[in-house]
Each structure stands twice: as C-alpha cells, then as structure tokens.
Amino acid sequence: MYEILYQEIEEKTEYETIIKKVLSKCLKEEKIENSKMSITVTLTTPKQIQHINKVYRGIDKPTDVLSFPMFEKDELDQKIKNNDFVQEDILGDIIISVERVKEQAKEYEHSFERELSYMLVHGFYHLMGYDHIQEADKMKMRPKEEKILNDLKINR
C-alpha cells in the first residue's frame, strides 16, 4: 500500500504511475507484496527537504532523497521470515526532491523516469535496512537496486 503526498509541488499522474510501478516491483522482489506494509512517498521541494534533513538528521543542506525506516534490519528480516505482519505495519517514509530529480536526470543524461525510479529504489532499500556508507554494505545494496531497474527495463 502506498500513500503519495505532495508538499509544495504540483500533483502529476506521471509521478504516481512511476511510484506504483517501481514500489510494486520492489515489494515483489523482496517477497513482501502481500505483507500489508505501507510506504509513504512525499514529493517535495529542495527547501522542504533541506528543512526535514536539518530537523531529523542535523544536516542543514538539501538532498535528493531521504528515507525513514520504521524497523531495524534484523527486526524486519525476522518479520519477513515469520510472515509476522499486521495491517498497521508501516515500512517507512521516502521523501524525494522532485527538482533535484530533474537536475540529476539532466546531469547524468538520462530520463526523469530513470532518476525518479532510482530514488525510489534507493529509498526503498534504505527502508529495508540496507546502507551504502561502508563499501561492503554498498556491495549488497547496489546490485539489488540495479536488478529492479533492469527488470523494469528502466536503463540509463
């Protein structure tokens, strides 16, 4: 289940189509599509994401995507293993700066769809407890991200 919120940006069906397609694939890939877990995706401005980054992470600068998971990785892994989900379980929140997505699509010379999809997949795997600070962790996360994008044929 997805909730899509717009914070100071215009609602667009294109965004919602991409979000549903990508997150559905992510949930299916991780075999939790029937878990009743919910994800909130907020699409916002650089100013708003900077404010959120400052308040919750102590970093006073804009970024492209923020993820706020509700579970620690071990806890989530146990829930998945035991199929121990309840209706109220929230996987977490993904917050994306749409303006940054547009800028990075131009910078990396690929489509808006590709960049937004990557932000969603990246945010999703943070919700799943993956990280990329250490190289060993990055080696686990990156292939998962690329598999989703390749399976959806959303390439560079």
Side-chain angles (χ1 to χ4, degrees):
M1 184 171 88
Y2 323 107
E3 180 178 19
I4 302 169
L5 304 174
Y6 293 87
Q7 190 176 56
E8 297 187 13
I9 68 160
E10 181 183 343
E11 292 184 26
K12 290 196 175 180
T13 306
E14 172 194 6
Y15 302 160
E16 295 181 24
T17 301
I18 294 168
I19 291 167
K20 290 174 184 173
K21 176 175 71 171
V22 171
L23 291 181
S24 291
K25 179 63 178 164
C26 289
L27 291 167
K28 187 172 183 177
E29 181 68 26
E30 294 303 318
K31 298 175 178 51
I32 57 172
E33 69 270 25
N34 297 319
S35 67
K36 301 179 184 134
M37 297 285 278
S38 67
I39 300 171
T40 299
V41 177
T42 302
L43 302 174
T44 192
T45 65
K47 180 181 173 187
Q48 287 298 321
I49 208 166
Q50 179 172 349
H51 174 73
I52 295 164
N53 207 15
K54 181 179 180 183
V55 169
Y56 292 99
R57 299 181 63 229
I59 301 171
D60 190 14
K61 64 180 196 176
T63 189
D64 49 11
V65 62
L66 292 171
S67 300
F68 296 97
M70 292 301 290
F71 299 99
E72 295 293 327
K73 180 148 181 40
D74 294 342
E75 182 183 11
L76 185 57
D77 288 347
Q78 197 64 32
K79 279 182 140 326
I80 293 169
K81 180 181 174 189
N82 297 331
N83 196 24
D84 181 28
F85 298 99
V86 294
Q87 187 68 39
E88 298 82 28
D89 277 341
I90 299 168
L91 189 56
D93 296 283
I94 300 170
I95 303 166
I96 297 173
S97 169
V98 174
E99 191 174 312
R100 274 301 279 148
V101 169
K102 290 176 183 176
E103 290 168 2
Q104 288 174 181
K106 284 182 185 174
E107 181 182 333
Y108 299 130
E109 298 180 347
H110 54 239
S111 69
F112 174 83
E113 179 188 18
R114 187 346 177 141
E115 190 63 23
L116 179 57
S117 297
Y118 178 75
M119 292 297 119
L120 289 161
V121 173
H122 187 77
F124 173 81
Y125 277 108
H126 277 306
L127 297 184
M128 293 295 294
Y130 290 88
D131 211 334
H132 50 83
I133 295 170
Q134 303 294 325
E135 191 61 32
D137 296 330
K138 188 186 290 187
M139 297 301 288
K140 293 176 188 171
M141 186 174 177
R142 292 290 186 249
K144 288 181 167 291
E145 294 170 338
E146 289 302 320
K147 182 176 185 334
I148 298 290
L149 296 172
N150 288 336
D151 286 355
L152 290 172
K153 298 183 180 4
I154 302 172
N155 303 312
R156 294 180 185 265

